[in-house]
Amino acid sequence: MISSDNVLDVVIVGGGAAGVGVAAALKHAGLTEVAILERHVVGGSFQRWPAEMRLITPSFPTNSIGMLDLNSVAIGTSPAYTLQVEHPTGKQYATYLQAVARFFKLKVNAGIDVFDIEPDTLGFTLNTSQGEMRARHVIWAAGEFQYPRTSCFPGSELCRHNSQVRAWSDISGKEALVLGGYESGMDAALHMAERGIQVTVLDRGSAWSAESSDPSISLSTYTHERYEKAKHTGNIRLVPNAEVVRVDQVGTEYDAITADQGSFRTAQPPILATGFHGSHRLIQNLFEQREDGYPLLSEEDESTITPGLFLVGPSVRHDQHVFCFIYKFRQRFAVVAKTIAERVGVDHSQLEMYRQWGMFLDDLSCCGEECVC
């Protein structure tokens, strides 16, 4: 049972890339009364990725020249150096996160579900599967992968979301239909095509042809390169401007009906590559909402209506700026850590190292581009 006798300075909900990374930043800021609550184990969502799925951003051990590995969540660490892999799988990346948690001696409480968060006079009471817990500040870092978009159109319940596939090698048959042509959809198509399956990818736009250097908008160069290598097999067919409006079951087969491109039949449930809702919806009553449905945040990534509640991870939005990749949302860790350290009254001078590593401390900066996920 969790003891509610003591009030911690910070409780972090979620032990993934965002939760582990911000916990390390808090430690650098001099905060010691910090706990991570994780539903499964550290890196649990990454462990649930399809076995063949890899990070699209490359890892490279650049710490020695003063730059962070793109997939690093803590200063002085590198997934590339730890794993000896440039594009880690989900399970490999979970191993890296677990190593970071051990190295920084982070206080992780695994196997705990957080049901709700209630503001009170001392901060917050968290109602969990193992009792109540008290904290002056809460950082929501629960991520997205376990909250897929599965109700996109009539008949979507007949489909299988890509996050529900344990391994693409489990998919059998001669043909497959993928609904969604961004990273997850192309990844699914490429893995199945490698196994000789004829794959048709339907996208309501043409994600594979968007021109931008920002992978929040267009396909990554890693995925483009893989697709170019796979084209010669003739196993992938890309259909742009094919917005699916419903899926019907016809006997033992499935018809994906589009608005303008007709229907597409497949012998097995179509693969939904429609993205994720984000876990912030579980506590949306504690945030004001932006027009796009994401939480409205202060410049310190704090709720504008619930003081002491912060958001980190891929759901962070500021104006048109989207921090949906690890190398983006980690830029906000030091901002949150500094804000909390100042309120608690601890010496956070060690956080100056974050500025030297090109990470934010006291300004709201971004790539300067408008980006969408």
Side-chain angles (χ1 to χ4, degrees):
M1 289 289 292
I2 296 175
S3 172
S4 61
D5 296 338
N6 298 319
V7 181
L8 295 173
D9 286 330
V10 188
V11 165
I12 301 167
V13 181
V20 169
V22 77
L26 289 167
K27 192 144 193 177
H28 283 133
L31 288 151
T32 57
E33 294 301 314
V34 177
I36 297 174
L37 304 187
E38 165 56 40
R39 176 186 292 175
H40 302 294
V41 297
V42 168
S45 289
F46 288 97
Q47 288 185 337
R48 285 164 174 75
W49 277 15
E52 303 89 346
M53 190 173 175
R54 294 176 175 270
L55 271 71
I56 61 174
T57 43
S59 286
F60 192 80
T62 56
N63 288 333
S64 60
I65 58 171
M67 296 176 64
L68 275 178
D69 182 324
L70 282 182
N71 296 316
S72 172
V73 298
I75 287 176
T77 73
S78 167
Y81 183 83
T82 300
L83 303 170
Q84 297 295 295
V85 173
E86 186 174 18
H87 291 277
T89 65
K91 287 186 178 180
Q92 289 171 331
Y93 195 71
T95 299
Y96 157 73
L97 292 178
Q98 291 162 9
V100 172
R102 288 194 300 271
F103 179 79
F104 286 100
K105 298 180 180 178
L106 304 179
K107 298 174 183 177
V108 179
N109 297 277
I112 297 179
D113 251 330
V114 176
F115 301 133
D116 60 68
I117 300 171
E118 300 175 3
D120 59 32
T121 55
L122 294 178
F124 300 90
T125 296
L126 294 92
N127 297 306
T128 81
S129 57
Q130 294 192 25
E132 290 186 348
M133 195 168 193
R134 307 290 299 283
R136 295 181 177 85
H137 306 86
V138 171
I139 300 176
W140 189 263
E144 297 183 337
F145 189 76
Q146 296 180 49
Y147 307 93
R149 295 180 186 273
T150 55
S151 300
C152 308
F153 43 75
S156 56
E157 70 278 1
L158 300 171
C159 305
R160 187 179 185 187
H161 196 274
N162 69 285
S163 64
Q164 299 167 337
V165 176
R166 298 279 68 83
W168 293 111
S169 59
D170 294 339
I171 304 296
S172 59
K174 296 181 179 180
E175 58 184 16
L177 187 62
V178 176
L179 312 183
Y182 189 55
E183 290 291 346
S184 296
M186 291 297 290
D187 183 69
L190 287 164
H191 286 302
M192 289 188 287
E194 287 174 2
R195 303 184 58 250
I197 298 175
Q198 295 285 325
V199 186
T200 299
V201 180
L202 307 182
D203 191 73
R204 62 183 175 183
S206 54
W208 46 78
S209 61
E211 294 183 1
S212 173
S213 60
D214 188 343
S216 296
I217 297 173
S218 62
L219 290 183
S220 66
T221 53
Y222 175 64
T223 302
H224 270 299
E225 182 180 20
R226 294 170 62 206
Y227 174 61
E228 288 300 317
K229 290 180 179 179
K231 276 201 305 188
H232 75 278
T233 66
N235 290 338
I236 299 181
R237 175 191 177 196
L238 304 181
V239 183
N241 305 315
E243 181 177 2
V244 176
V245 295
R246 75 176 193 272
V247 170
D248 297 331
Q249 186 165 6
V250 183
T252 60
E253 298 184 314
Y254 303 85
D255 277 351
I257 314 299
T258 70
D260 300 311
Q261 301 287 354
S263 63
F264 297 80
R265 180 162 292 189
T266 177
Q268 58 183 323
I271 299 296
L272 279 181
T274 46
F276 304 87
H277 287 295
S279 63
H280 61 272
R281 296 177 64 188
L282 302 178
I283 53 169
Q284 62 183 0
N285 62 304
L286 299 178
F287 290 94
E288 287 185 273
Q289 303 298 308
R290 292 162 41 113
E291 290 184 0
D292 59 8
Y294 283 89
L296 181 65
L297 303 173
S298 72
E299 290 197 356
E300 292 76 32
D301 295 355
E302 185 176 19
S303 168
T304 55
I305 59 174
T306 310
L309 175 62
F310 296 82
L311 180 70
V312 296
S315 295
V316 171
R317 303 285 189 275
H318 284 288
D319 297 323
Q320 297 301 311
H321 305 315
V322 178
F323 294 81
C324 60
F325 279 83
I326 291 169
Y327 72 88
K328 290 185 177 186
F329 65 66
R330 73 181 182 198
Q331 301 296 315
R332 309 299 301 167
F333 294 163
V335 174
V336 174
K338 181 182 178 183
T339 300
I340 295 176
E342 288 176 343
R343 293 181 186 177
V344 173
V346 300
D347 177 13
H348 55 74
S349 56
Q350 283 194 61
L351 280 177
E352 283 301 317
M353 72 176 76
Y354 282 72
R355 198 188 306 277
Q356 298 169 15
W357 287 76
M359 299 174 76
F360 305 154
L361 274 178
D362 49 21
D363 62 346
L364 181 55
S365 305
C366 189
C367 56
E369 299 180 5
E370 293 188 359
C371 26
V372 295
C373 276

